[in-house]
């Protein structure tokens, strides 16, 4: 699954995009402070097959964060998260 923003990008506005996956009815995105996703700042389901997410800027602290996305199929089975990417939140 390809996604944006690309790894290492610095952002002042946040919109996460990914390619649609066949048979996915929804997606689950997580944004965390660490590569292992032990400190998740934002987690959301994107329904209806949407392939973009815009979090509230207040939910994201300054610094380097990580994000990844999983698929949810018609039986509500959630697949594995895809490759994580990092980005930097700036004031």
């Amino acid at each position: 699954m390809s996604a944006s923003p690309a790894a290492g990008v610095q952002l002042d506005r946040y919109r996460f995009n990914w390619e649609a996956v066949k048979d996915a009815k929804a997606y689950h995105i997580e944004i965390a402070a660490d590569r292992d996703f032990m400190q998740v700042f934002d987690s959301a389901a994107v329904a209806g097959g949407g392939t973009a997410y815009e979090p509230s800027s207040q939910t994201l602290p300054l610094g380097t964060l990580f994000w990844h996305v999983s698929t949810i199929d018609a039986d509500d089975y959630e697949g594995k998260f895809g490759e994580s990417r990092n980005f930097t939140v700036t004031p």
Side-chain angles (χ1 to χ4, degrees), residues 3-83:
S4 67
V9 170
Q10 288 192 358
L11 301 172
D12 58 7
R13 184 165 182 264
Y14 319 103
R15 179 179 174 93
F16 299 87
N17 299 286
W18 54 90
E19 287 185 13
V21 174
K22 184 181 178 191
D23 298 326
K25 77 165 189 178
Y27 299 90
H28 177 199
I29 182 169
E30 288 185 331
I31 302 168
D34 61 303
R35 291 182 195 279
D36 296 324
F37 290 82
M38 299 300 290
Q39 294 179 293
V40 174
F41 287 107
D42 197 1
S43 178
V46 179
T51 59
Y53 176 67
E54 290 188 34
S56 164
S57 61
Q58 291 79 18
T59 64
L60 301 179
L62 298 178
T64 300
L65 301 177
F66 301 84
W67 70 287
H68 60 190
V69 176
S70 67
T71 59
I72 301 170
D73 69 14
D75 295 323
D76 290 327
Y77 174 78
E78 183 172 350
K80 292 181 180 179
F81 280 99
E83 175 185 353

